[in-house]
Amino acid sequence: MSDGQYGILVVEDDFRIADIHRAFIEQSDGFYVVGMARNGSEAKAIMAEQAASIHLILLDAYLPDVEGLELLWAIRRDYVHVDIVMVTAAREVETISEALRGGVFDYLIKPIEAARMTQMLTRFRREREALANRAEMNQDELDSVLARLKPGEPLRAKSQTSSQTLPKGIDRLTLRRVIDALADAPDSLTAMQMARTMGASRSTARRYLEFLVAEQAVSAELGYGDVGRPERRYRLLEAAHEWLNTL
């Protein structure tokens, strides 16, 4: 693993969905795909060879050679350092309950919204970074890391980021330029198109775009470009105007 990068193993028997997951991960800062497994046997083989590089597993509940929950418990037993996210069409409460008892980091029901996947990856990275090199925490620090909700708060409450609390690497003036470019665009934009508009690198444009997605000011979706490969496209949301007033 390169510094600040988290490896992901995708366990999905539908190659089309697996490719969408791969494209999404490759376009998300801080993450890369370690391997792709179509069944439980392939997943176990990849884990045996590359466990040290894998930090997160996207696991389907329906696999051709093993139940996803059975594989979940096996991974939990043998690889305690790995987090698991169920990415599945399984909606049964019994399945969800067992996955939660198995300690899954998150549970995503197909079809998955890009914003929901981004939310999960953002939370994963934040928690991993916050826990790194810490010997202990008090209750307030732990609650902040886990972003625990207060009673009555909505599950997907919009972040109240202000100009005084913008994260490192996000500049207010540059953020305004990105927002203005999205507002003026006749259609959604890719990170490369935004980079050309900004006169910046693609990675810089993507960092600002993903921040706006996490703040639920911008939506993201996967489309297909001229060469047929999926690409992430960004569009300003109507709710963004309210959010902009907090900056």
Side-chain angles (χ1 to χ4, degrees):
M1 180 190 77
S2 58
D3 186 37
Q5 296 285 312
Y6 298 101
I8 297 180
L9 169 62
V10 177
V11 185
E12 169 62 61
D13 66 321
D14 187 324
F15 73 91
R16 293 165 299 184
I17 295 176
D19 283 343
I20 290 174
H21 290 344
R22 178 199 288 274
F24 190 96
I25 294 165
E26 289 177 346
Q27 296 179 52
S28 299
D29 286 340
F31 298 93
Y32 69 102
V33 177
V34 175
M36 308 276 284
R38 295 170 296 178
N39 52 52
S41 296
E42 290 183 2
K44 291 177 180 179
I46 294 173
M47 287 298 299
E49 294 178 359
Q50 303 188 64
S53 300
I54 297 171
H55 304 86
L56 181 64
I57 298 175
L58 303 187
L59 176 62
D60 191 5
Y62 302 121
L63 297 171
D65 61 342
V66 66
E67 289 290 334
L69 290 175
E70 181 182 338
L71 183 58
L72 164 66
W73 289 109
I75 294 170
R76 270 280 156 266
R77 181 186 65 245
D78 298 332
Y79 304 100
V80 295
H81 73 285
V82 176
D83 277 307
I84 301 171
V85 171
M86 298 298 294
V87 184
T88 175
R91 299 168 179 263
E92 300 82 6
V93 172
E94 183 178 354
T95 300
I96 295 171
S97 296
E98 183 173 347
L100 293 175
R101 289 195 297 273
V104 294
F105 182 81
D106 208 339
Y107 194 108
L108 306 183
I109 299 176
K110 299 176 183 176
I112 304 160
E113 296 179 2
R116 184 63 177 83
M117 181 75 84
T118 296
Q119 182 190 62
M120 180 274 292
L121 292 175
T122 299
R123 184 165 64 91
F124 177 86
R125 183 172 59 239
R126 184 186 68 234
E127 291 188 15
R128 283 286 178 127
E129 291 175 351
L131 293 172
N133 302 317
R134 295 291 297 272
E136 60 181 35
M137 285 184 170
N138 61 37
Q139 188 65 61
D140 289 340
E141 291 170 332
L142 181 58
D143 288 344
S144 177
V145 169
L146 298 179
R148 296 304 189 201
L149 296 174
K150 297 178 182 178
E153 286 185 340
L155 179 61
R156 297 179 67 181
K158 181 168 64 66
S159 171
Q160 296 299 318
T161 301
S162 69
S163 58
Q164 286 73 39
T165 59
L166 288 174
K168 183 178 179 181
I170 300 295
D171 172 74
R172 182 182 180 186
L173 293 179
T174 305
L175 188 62
R176 286 280 185 180
R177 290 172 57 197
V178 173
I179 292 168
D180 289 342
L182 287 170
D184 294 338
D187 199 358
S188 57
L189 298 177
T190 65
M192 181 58 73
Q193 290 170 326
M194 178 59 72
R196 296 192 186 108
T197 301
M198 295 170 58
S201 68
R202 181 178 180 180
S203 62
T204 296
R206 184 182 299 161
R207 181 169 69 250
Y208 279 85
L209 290 166
E210 292 297 337
F211 169 73
L212 288 168
V213 170
E215 290 296 315
Q216 299 184 36
V218 166
S219 66
E221 58 188 18
L222 285 176
Y224 285 86
D226 296 335
V227 296
R229 293 192 60 187
E231 58 184 0
R232 199 152 153 78
R233 303 189 67 86
Y234 303 85
R235 187 188 307 275
L236 200 66
L237 296 174
E238 288 186 18
H241 297 295
E242 179 183 349
W243 179 84
L244 291 177
N245 291 333
T246 68
L247 291 180

